[in-house]
Amino acid sequence: MASNENDVKEILAVHHSWLDSNNDLVKEKMYPNFANPGYLQFNLNGHEYNGPDEKAKLWDGLHEIGFNLSQMKIVEEPKVYAEGDLAYLTTYWSALVTGNTGTGVLEPDPEPLVFRVTEVYRRDDGKGNPEWKIWHFHASPIAGKDTPRFPQDA
């Protein structure tokens, strides 16, 4: 954990604000959490998005096809590691996913999607102001229960 409790509180506030903006994909809530310019996301969909404006276009497109993330929740409490003006956070999120599955029918997935998250923070809003912002976000799926792990655990 980071040694400066105030930094950790500020970083967690940004993290929770970002998490909340994912519920129903609310762009106005999303923007204030990211460095602009400078932000880069490796999205769970496998693509990268450069800057909040590009991410906003992604969210517009998702709205058009009826895709929605709802009830975004933290599965594991975030761990924050900070030193000076740089920090990173790791956690696991879950969400119910609704979207066009190719059938033309919009139905929620009965099982929540669980994925791991890494966020990189700098005390810089992208314009040189000393505010904690997310500079990089990475989401990836967790391995399935039947997926072998190498090397095998003894």
Side-chain angles (χ1 to χ4, degrees):
M1 282 290 191
S3 58
N4 185 329
E5 283 187 40
N6 193 49
D7 287 339
V8 171
K9 286 179 186 175
E10 289 177 22
I11 290 164
L12 287 172
V14 173
H15 172 75
H16 288 288
S17 175
W18 159 225
L19 176 69
D20 183 55
S21 73
N22 280 269
N23 288 314
D24 299 320
L25 303 172
V26 181
K27 293 186 301 188
E28 296 77 19
K29 289 181 176 180
M30 178 262 302
Y31 269 98
N33 304 299
F34 300 104
N36 194 5
Y39 173 71
L40 172 66
Q41 177 171 335
F42 292 161
N43 195 280
L44 192 57
N45 68 14
H47 295 284
E48 74 177 51
Y49 296 89
N50 290 287
D53 290 337
E54 195 169 85
K55 184 197 299 266
K57 290 177 186 175
L58 165 68
W59 284 16
D60 288 340
L62 292 173
H63 280 293
E64 284 179 24
I65 65 169
F67 182 89
N68 188 24
L69 295 172
S70 64
Q71 299 177 19
M72 289 287 288
K73 295 180 182 169
I74 293 173
V75 174
E76 178 181 290
E77 284 304 310
K79 296 178 181 104
V80 178
Y81 306 87
E83 188 170 328
D85 292 335
L86 188 61
Y88 70 94
L89 176 150
T90 61
T91 189
Y92 290 84
W93 286 0
S94 73
L96 294 176
V97 178
T98 302
N100 188 334
T101 60
T103 63
V105 178
L106 302 178
E107 294 184 21
D109 188 326
E111 292 295 320
L113 173 67
V114 178
F115 52 99
R116 58 187 165 210
V117 167
T118 303
E119 298 167 358
V120 177
Y121 290 78
R122 282 179 53 191
R123 193 187 334 251
D124 177 349
D125 67 353
K127 296 174 180 69
N129 298 308
E131 299 173 32
W132 285 108
K133 298 291 181 179
I134 302 171
W135 278 75
H136 179 64
F137 176 85
H138 182 127
S140 58
I142 60 172
K145 292 177 182 157
D146 297 331
T147 304
R149 184 178 186 277
F150 298 100
Q152 293 279 330
D153 291 329

